[in-house]
Amino acid sequence: MRKRSWGFVAVGLLVALLLAGVVSNYASSHPDGLDSSLLKGCTVNADDEITGGSCPARQAKDHELADSPLADYGIRGVDNGFLSTGLSGVVGVLLTFAVGGGVFWLLRRRGPADTADRQSAGTAG
C-alpha cells in the first residue's frame, strides 16, 4: 500500500474512533421506529417499562449474549456510563478494523510481478 493510502486509512480510523468514543454518547436514548412499533398496544411508565396492555414487546426475551462483556452498548464492570459507552465503541471499531483488515490482507491482489509470472506460466504450456 502506498504511503498516501496509509494516511487515508489512519485518518479514517481516527475519525471512526472519535465518533465511537465520544459522539456515540450523545445519541438519542428514545426508542427507534422498531422499538416504538413493538410497544403499540401497551402502556409504559416513565422508565419505559411495560405496565399493561398487549403488544409484541411483552414477548421479548434477553439475547443469549446479554451477559457478554460488550452487551448493551457498554463494558461490563465500568460504572461510569459515559466511559463505558465510549470504550465499548472504541473496542468495537478496533475489532471491526482488525477483522476487516485481516480479510483484506488475506484477499489482496498480488503485485504486478506475481501477475506477470502467472501469465507467462499459463502460456508456456
Side-chain angles (χ1 to χ4, degrees), residues 36-77:
S36 63
S37 67
L38 292 175
L39 289 173
K40 287 191 192 267
C42 282
T43 54
V44 294
N45 63 14
D47 295 327
D48 289 331
E49 296 170 348
I50 299 172
T51 57
S54 176
C55 62
R58 291 196 85 142
Q59 311 326 292
K61 297 177 183 163
D62 279 343
H63 191 274
E64 294 173 359
L65 299 176
D67 293 331
S68 68
L70 295 175
D72 217 11
Y73 301 106
I75 293 183
R76 188 175 10 145

Side-chain angles (χ1 to χ4, degrees), residues 27-119:
S28 175
S29 61
H30 297 291
D32 63 9
L34 179 60
D35 287 339
S36 63
S37 67
L38 292 175
L39 289 173
K40 287 191 192 267
C42 282
T43 54
V44 294
N45 63 14
D47 295 327
D48 289 331
E49 296 170 348
I50 299 172
T51 57
S54 176
C55 62
R58 291 196 85 142
Q59 311 326 292
K61 297 177 183 163
D62 279 343
H63 191 274
E64 294 173 359
L65 299 176
D67 293 331
S68 68
L70 295 175
D72 217 11
Y73 301 106
I75 293 183
R76 188 175 10 145
V78 178
D79 294 330
N80 182 327
F82 190 89
L83 183 61
S84 178
T85 300
L87 286 175
S88 176
V90 167
V91 168
V93 166
L94 291 175
L95 285 173
T96 302
F97 184 78
V99 169
V103 168
F104 280 110
W105 180 78
L106 288 172
L107 299 177
R108 74 184 189 279
R109 291 181 179 221
R110 303 291 177 207
D114 291 344
T115 304
D117 291 343
R118 277 188 252 137
Q119 288 176 349

Side-chain angles (χ1 to χ4, degrees), residues 4-22:
R4 183 175 177 189
S5 298
W6 280 112
F8 181 75
V9 170
V11 168
L13 180 61
L14 287 174
V15 168
L17 288 169
L18 179 68
L19 290 172
V22 178

